[in-house]
């Protein structure tokens, strides 16, 4: 398959992601506008962070005047799953140039990973034209949605814009229920949620999110059944 065919295939595969990213990014843009974030900061947040969950969480943490250390720790914790994505994709990009690897790493979101993984499951080679097409199309949709949302946010009353705050919990609920989960996964989610809720009730701020994530991961490691070693 020539590079042009790879590009066409990438556009076809990523179309559902493009259509889903635009309204979600628009919701972020509206909320950022309602919170008083300047337009250029709004756009740069999407351009640099490029993570729906982290960006919505950033708005919430900034609104609660959380300490910078807690904000940075929380955002890093939220995005730590991307290390596993990179580990999974890494063996398939060994022949790529370093600039292509760095560009691919930046654009490896949850949905992009799902798209390219579906091709790997079919034992297809992960080519640069295909991956970069998928990544840039999704990234472009996110940026365009952010700009559109910010424009709408200037026209929507702040009280109405706050309703869109449901987008963040809806995003995580969708990720939680969107695929088959093990007992360890559910235990991690429950423990993390309980500790984060308790921290919120004690006015401990965003540190509860960090501790909740760490506790959930630790408990999940204990609950997850160990693989038997074969002699």
């Amino acid at each position: 398959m020539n590079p042009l065919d790879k590009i066409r295939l990438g556009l076809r595969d990523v179309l559902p992601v493009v259509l889903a990213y635009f309204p979600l990014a628009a919701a972020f843009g509206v909320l950022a506008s309602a919170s008083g974030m300047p337009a250029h900061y709004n756009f740069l947040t999407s351009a640099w962070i490029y993570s729906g969950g982290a960006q919505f969480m950033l708005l919430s943490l900034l609104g609660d005047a959380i300490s910078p250390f807690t904000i940075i720790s929380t955002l890093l914790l939220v995005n730590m799953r991307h290390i596993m994505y990179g580990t999974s994709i890494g063996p398939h990009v060994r022949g790529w140039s370093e600039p292509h690897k760095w560009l691919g790493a930046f654009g490896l979101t949850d949905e992009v990973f799902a798209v390219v993984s579906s091709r790997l499951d079919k034992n297809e080679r992960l080519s640069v034209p295909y991956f970069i097409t998928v990544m840039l199309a999704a990234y472009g949709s996110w940026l365009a949605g952010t700009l559109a949302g910010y424009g709408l946010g200037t026209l929507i009353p702040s009280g109405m814009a706050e309703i869109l705050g449901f987008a963040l919990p809806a995003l995580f609920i969708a990720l939680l229920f969107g695929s088959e989960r093990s007992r360890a996964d559910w235990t991690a989610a429950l423990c993390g949620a309980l500790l984060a809720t308790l921290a919120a009730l004690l006015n401990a701020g965003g540190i509860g999110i960090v501790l909740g994530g760490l506790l959930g991961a630790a408990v999940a490691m204990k609950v997850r059944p160990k693989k038997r070693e074969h002699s």
Side-chain angles (χ1 to χ4, degrees):
M1 187 179 293
N2 60 53
L4 185 57
D5 289 334
K6 288 289 187 180
I7 292 174
R8 290 171 179 161
L9 180 62
L11 290 174
R12 187 187 71 184
D13 287 352
V14 79
L15 181 59
V17 176
V18 170
L19 296 178
Y21 268 11
F22 189 89
L24 185 58
F28 168 76
V30 170
L31 287 173
S33 176
S35 68
M37 179 182 290
H40 59 287
Y41 286 151
N42 181 11
F43 181 79
L44 290 176
T45 299
S46 283
W48 288 348
I49 298 179
Y50 185 38
S51 172
Q55 288 180 228
F56 279 100
M57 190 169 291
L58 176 63
L59 288 179
S60 176
L61 295 176
L62 289 175
D64 292 338
I66 303 299
S67 69
F69 173 78
T70 300
I71 292 176
I72 294 173
S73 300
T74 300
L75 297 188
L76 288 176
L77 183 63
V78 167
N79 289 318
M80 196 171 292
R81 65 191 183 279
H82 294 280
I83 296 176
M84 295 182 289
Y85 296 163
T87 302
S88 177
I89 296 294
H92 302 278
V93 300
R94 286 176 179 171
W96 290 15
S97 66
E98 287 302 314
H100 285 148
K101 289 180 181 179
W102 282 100
L103 184 60
F106 173 77
L108 193 60
T109 63
D110 299 318
E111 294 75 17
V112 169
F113 175 75
V115 170
V116 299
S117 293
S118 67
R119 289 295 167 186
L120 296 178
D121 291 340
K122 299 176 182 178
N123 295 320
E124 296 185 12
R125 182 175 176 273
L126 188 58
S127 67
V128 172
Y130 175 82
F131 189 97
I132 299 302
T133 297
V134 171
M135 187 274 289
L136 289 180
Y139 185 53
S141 177
W142 188 262
L143 295 182
T146 301
L147 289 175
Y150 192 88
L152 290 173
T154 60
L155 305 175
I156 298 176
S158 59
M160 185 178 298
E162 290 177 359
I163 299 176
L164 293 176
F166 80 94
L168 176 60
L171 173 64
F172 283 103
I173 291 174
L175 291 174
L176 183 62
F177 289 95
S179 60
E180 185 177 352
R181 299 289 175 177
S182 66
R183 183 162 64 97
D185 295 327
W186 288 111
T187 303
L190 180 60
C191 291
L194 289 176
L195 183 56
T197 301
L198 177 61
L201 294 175
L202 296 175
N203 295 319
I207 191 64
I209 301 174
V210 177
L211 295 179
L214 294 175
L215 174 66
V219 172
M221 292 297 294
K222 294 293 184 180
V223 175
R224 191 181 302 277
K226 296 182 179 180
K227 295 182 179 179
R228 295 182 180 178
E229 296 183 357
H230 298 279
S231 57

